[in-house]
Amino acid sequence: MSIPFTSVVKSLPDTIPFVGPETLERKYSKPFVARLGANESAFGISPMASEAITNATNSTDCSWYADPENFELRTLLSQKHSVPIENLCVDAGIDSLLGLTVRMFVEPGISVVSSKGAYPTVNYHANGYGAKIHSVSYKDHHEDTVALVDAAHTHHARLIYLANPDNPMGTCLSPDSIQDMLKELPEDCLLMLDEAYVEFMDQMPLLPIDVSDPRIIRFRTFSKAYGMAGMRIGYVIAHKDIIAGFNRIRNHFGVNRLAQIAAAASLRDTAFLPEVTELVKLGRQRIYDLADALSLNYLSSSTNFVAVDMRNHEVANKLIESLASGGVFMRKPMVAPQDRFIRVGVGTEEEHQHLERALIPLIQAIS
Ligand SMILES: *Cc1c(COP(=O)(O)O)cnc(C)c1O
C-alpha cells in the first residue's frame, strides 16, 4: 500500500537535521572525552534545581501531568522580565516553539526568511509546513539585518528568523539594528528573535522587551546557561494575542513536570546564573588564548562557544573529523564563507585540556 502522507510530507527528503554525538560515539565505538560541539553547558544545573527534582522523584510528581498552564514558572518569569504572565508561553524548548510559530503563521507557499548557514531548525519546521525558504548571506560574520528585511519585502515573507547572539558565529547585534528591522518590517511579517544565548551577551545592551508590539516573538531557553538541554524547556515572550495563538495549538501537556520544577528552582537560585556566566567568560578566554597560541584568528563571542578561523573549509572539515576520532566532539558552520571556521564550545577545564592535547598536534601538522 502507498502510505497516504500529506502532499508536503510526501515531498520531503529523509532528513537528519543534526547528527547527535551519541551517533558518532557508536560510529567510533568509544565515548567522547570532551563534548564541545552542541553548545550545551559544561557546568550542570543549579544545585537548587538538582535538589528540587531529587525530591520530586521521591514523591508523586513523576506520576502526575505537569500544570498545563505552567503557572508557577510563568509567574517567576513574569517577575524576572517584568512582563505580565499573559505575555509568556512555556513549551519543550525553543526548537518546539519555533515549530509552533511556523505552524501558526505559515502554510504551503508562504515565505520565511533566514540567513545562509544560520541555526537550521526554523528551516526544518518551515519545510515541514511547505514554506518557501529564502536565505541571505551573513555580512562580516554577523547576520545582516538590512538584507533580511529586504528579502522579506521581495518575497512577501510572513516570518524572519534572527538569532541574537548568533549560532554558529557567536556574534551579536546592537539593539538599534534590531529596532531598525522592526521599523522596516513588511506588513504581515513577524520577527522571530531567537535569544538562546542571551544570558552570555555581555558586549551589547539588550533590546528592551516591549510586549505591546505584536511583530516580535522572543525565544528563550533553559538549555544553555541554565544547563538543562536534556530536560527540554523554553519559553516565548510576546504580545498577548500571539500567546493566545500558541495556546490554540500547543501541546498543553508537552512540558516535562521535572523540567518545570527544575526551571522554577533555577530562577529562584539567584547565585547560579552569575556563576555560570563567569565560568563561560573564563572558558571563552581559554579558547582565545589557545587560538592566539596557534596563531589562529577567532571572533569575539557573546555565547558559550567561539568561532575559530581555520582559513580553509576543507581543513576545518578534516579537523572536525580528526578531533572526533580523537575523542573530542565539535561542530562547525556548514555554509561558505563561514564554513572555514570551527565552533569551539566552552567546556570544563578538563575538557579544554583534552581539546588542547588533541588540537595542538593537528594544527602543527597542517601549518
Ligand atoms: C541550542 C539552540 C536552540 C535550542 O534551544 P532548545 O530550547 O534546547 O530547543 C535554539 N536556538 C539556537 C540559536 C540554539 O543555538
Side-chain angles (χ1 to χ4, degrees), residues 16 18-25 32 329 331:
I16 298 174
F18 296 96
V19 177
E22 292 78 10
T23 306
L24 297 171
E25 287 176 331
F32 286 120
F329 168 57
R331 289 200 182 113

Side-chain angles (χ1 to χ4, degrees), residues 19-263:
V19 177
E22 292 78 10
T23 306
L24 297 171
E25 287 176 331
R26 285 189 288 273
K27 175 176 159 188
Y28 294 107
S29 303
K30 62 176 183 195
F32 286 120
V33 291
R35 183 159 161 146
L36 307 174
N39 305 344
E40 297 148 328
S41 177
F43 308 111
I45 64 172
S46 140
M48 279 172 62
S50 182
E51 192 188 333
I53 54 178
T54 304
N55 293 339
T57 56
N58 293 324
S59 72
T60 47
D61 279 286
C62 294
S63 308
W64 294 351
Y65 289 107
D67 169 15
E69 292 184 32
N70 299 283
F71 186 82
E72 185 196 9
L73 181 55
R74 282 165 63 229
T75 302
L76 291 165
L77 289 170
S78 136
Q79 289 157 6
K80 178 181 164 80
H81 297 300
S82 306
V83 298
I85 188 171
E86 68 201 23
N87 296 103
L88 295 159
C89 178
V90 176
D91 196 43
I94 291 180
D95 285 0
S96 179
L97 288 156
L98 294 174
L100 291 175
T101 308
V102 170
R103 181 173 160 206
M104 243 189 311
F105 294 106
V106 160
E107 42 208 335
I110 297 285
S111 291
V112 174
V113 169
S114 179
S115 303
K116 283 193 181 96
Y119 185 69
T121 303
V122 78
N123 293 3
Y124 173 78
H125 289 303
N127 282 325
Y129 288 102
K132 283 193 215 147
I133 297 163
H134 301 277
S135 303
V136 306
S137 296
Y138 277 64
K139 190 174 163 191
D140 192 22
H141 309 306
H142 289 69
E143 290 198 65
D144 185 342
T145 54
V146 173
L148 284 164
V149 171
D150 283 351
H153 280 280
T154 307
H155 302 290
H156 307 290
R158 185 73 49 82
L159 294 170
I160 298 178
Y161 173 79
L162 173 72
N164 188 49
D166 177 61
N167 176 15
M169 303 317 286
T171 49
C172 71
L173 298 166
S174 72
D176 287 351
S177 58
I178 300 172
Q179 210 69 265
D180 288 347
M181 285 182 88
L182 290 171
K183 275 187 216 134
E184 304 297 328
L185 221 53
E187 213 176 322
D188 294 331
C189 178
L190 271 64
L191 176 64
M192 303 167 79
L193 183 62
D194 183 338
E195 299 182 307
Y197 300 95
V198 77
E199 293 86 358
F200 305 118
M201 191 167 83
D202 48 9
Q203 297 164 327
M204 208 57 96
L206 196 59
L207 177 74
I209 293 176
D210 175 7
V211 290
S212 72
D213 187 345
R215 298 165 309 157
I216 177 168
I217 306 176
R218 302 176 75 151
F219 298 79
R220 302 283 177 98
T221 184
F222 288 91
S223 294
K224 305 284 155 69
Y226 291 98
M228 289 172 47
M231 302 192 74
R232 309 308 306 131
I233 189 160
Y235 57 101
V236 290
I237 311 170
H239 188 279
K240 68 178 177 15
D241 295 347
I242 301 267
I243 299 297
F246 279 104
N247 285 332
R248 286 183 212 158
I249 58 165
R250 74 186 171 94
N251 176 3
H252 285 250
F253 291 102
V255 174
N256 182 319
R257 189 175 178 105
L258 292 179
Q260 226 177 33
I261 289 168

